Amino acid sequence: MDKLIITAALTGAITVPTQTSHLPFTPDQLADDAVKCAEAGAASIHIHARNPKDGRPDSDPELFAEIASKIKERTNAIVCITTGGGMGMTPQERLRSVPVLAPELASFNLGSINFSMHPVARRYQPDDWRFDWEQQYVEGTENFIFPNTFGSMKVFAETMAQYNTRPEFEAYDLGHLYNLKFLEKDGLVKPPYWIQFVLGVLGALAANPRTLITILDTAERLFGASNFHWSVIGVGYPQEFHMAAMAIMMGGHVRVGLEDNIFIRRRMLAENAQLVEKVVRLAEEFERPVSTPDEARAIIGLRCPEAVNF
Ligand code: KMH
Ligand code: ZN
């Protein structure tokens, strides 16, 4: 087995500040968490940008550049830029940072799905919300379709190829792997791939051992086991750690972070680095060594980190 690549997804665009005071959203908070996660064992840091004043998801490339450069100044970890963005952003807005930053790695969402977290709003009274945008945002996901059409995926593939950015393919459902196969047949992408199975989003595949094995099996049949490396996200607690344990055993890789899960133990809020530390402890128990950022670059097939534009 390859060494274990751990990705830390620090903030995302779905978790809101009211849910946890540990959610980083200013560039300095994000850089501090990135450094702590890298020190704990994360080789890759997945970033979204947020308005530094109120934590609202933001697609401004200058904000992404500030966050990415602050991280790069202080750690050798891979900086993976989201192109998934947040609710209400157009695909064009979501892609804006790739031409500006030319990152080594960027997320590439493989299909449209319902993407909801509206049940979270039921836990709060109107006065509980920390910022005024949050309640409407969370409730609004009940009617949110995360758009990733073939037309926009074509533009994402062409843009990432132009800027020498490797896609991190995010597959939330079995059909998404068939979409990737179509992109391959159309000459827009070619193996080997870095695929992340995103399990547990309300609107797509659940996170459990059967769904992980089913989606992995489908990927192996479509692409051949030697043509991709895979990582898994388990959204929610304890699914994040269940999926991590399976990936550690099965030769896959793992993403954790407050973007996907806010708990370290039942009802106990986590800091990002604690989530990484827990995966490192699991890996130690299974005697699976953890990769450095440069070892992860070699496994995923990334270019020289100095070629980025931040
Ligand atoms: N929010 C995650 C469930 C992206 O940023 O492009 C998936 C994600 C996608 O991280
Ligand atoms: Zn993300």
Side-chain angles (χ1 to χ4, degrees):
M1 280 186 200
D2 290 316
K3 289 191 179 178
L4 178 72
I5 301 171
I6 302 174
T7 297
L10 303 179
T11 191
I14 288 294
T15 309
V16 296
T18 293
Q19 288 176 274
T20 170
S21 59
H22 298 304
L23 191 74
F25 56 80
T26 70
D28 285 324
Q29 288 168 346
L30 285 159
D32 286 347
D33 267 22
V35 171
K36 287 183 202 158
C37 287
E39 284 171 355
S44 179
I45 307 291
H46 171 79
I47 60 167
H48 289 240
R50 290 180 182 254
N51 179 309
K53 293 200 178 70
D54 66 6
R56 189 194 297 256
D58 199 310
S59 67
D60 181 357
E62 280 185 25
L63 205 45
F64 272 92
E66 185 182 349
I67 296 161
S69 58
K70 280 184 190 287
I71 294 173
K72 186 167 168 251
E73 270 165 27
R74 295 170 57 194
T75 152
N76 180 37
I78 299 160
V79 178
C80 172
I81 304 285
T82 183
T83 68
M87 190 178 67
M89 292 178 198
T90 63
Q92 293 75 14
E93 285 169 332
R94 288 162 32 198
L95 188 59
R96 281 199 297 166
S97 289
V98 169
V100 178
L101 274 67
E104 292 179 87
L105 189 62
S107 66
F108 185 120
N109 291 276
L110 283 170
S112 305
I113 49 166
N114 286 345
F115 195 133
S116 191
M117 59 170 303
H118 68 277
V120 168
R122 296 176 192 151
R123 296 182 206 151
Y124 300 101
Q125 299 299 318
D127 288 345
D128 292 339
W129 299 96
R130 184 168 158 201
F131 297 110
D132 60 3
W133 61 272
E134 294 179 81
Q135 181 177 5
Q136 199 185 9
Y137 188 84
V138 174
E139 288 175 352
T141 60
E142 188 169 11
N143 287 307
F144 178 50
I145 298 172
F146 182 33
N148 296 288
T149 62
F150 284 106
S152 66
M153 288 192 282
K154 180 177 181 200
V155 176
F156 279 45
E158 288 169 344
T159 306
M160 289 192 199
Q162 185 181 348
Y163 290 93
N164 215 355
T165 294
R166 284 274 277 158
E168 176 177 273
F169 291 108
E170 317 289 342
Y172 301 70
D173 228 320
L174 295 185
H176 293 178
L177 296 176
Y178 291 84
N179 294 350
L180 178 58
K181 193 72 192 173
F182 173 81
L183 299 178
E184 178 180 292
K185 283 193 188 131
D186 239 17
L188 287 163
V189 296
K190 55 176 192 299
Y193 302 120
W194 172 237
I195 303 177
Q196 190 153 249
F197 305 130
V198 188
L199 303 181
V201 169
L202 180 57
L205 275 181
N208 63 52
R210 283 173 197 267
T211 52
L212 176 58
I213 287 169
T214 304
I215 198 167
L216 175 60
D217 187 54
T218 305
E220 287 181 352
R221 280 189 293 106
L222 281 172
F223 306 112
S226 58
N227 282 322
F228 69 96
H229 293 279
W230 62 275
S231 172
V232 65
I233 300 171
V235 176
Y237 180 89
Q239 291 86 347
E240 178 162 273
F241 297 109
H242 291 180
M243 295 299 103
M246 288 194 69
I248 291 166
M249 284 187 275
M250 295 167 71
H253 304 275
V254 174
R255 173 173 126 174
V256 290
L258 296 179
E259 174 164 352
D260 308 321
N261 160 51
I262 60 174
F263 297 110
I264 187 72
R265 297 191 75 87
R266 193 166 298 284
R267 286 193 282 274
M268 197 185 291
L269 291 173
E271 293 177 22
N272 273 307
Q274 292 174 320
L275 300 170
V276 175
E277 285 162 7
K278 185 159 173 172
V279 175
V280 171
R281 288 199 298 277
L282 287 171
E284 277 166 6
E285 290 297 334
F286 288 104
E287 299 186 51
R288 176 107 186 257
V290 172
S291 86
T292 64
D294 285 340
E295 289 165 341
R297 286 185 174 95
I299 294 167
I300 303 172
L302 303 182
R303 68 180 200 277
C304 163
E306 294 314 316
V308 299
N309 198 17
F310 55 84

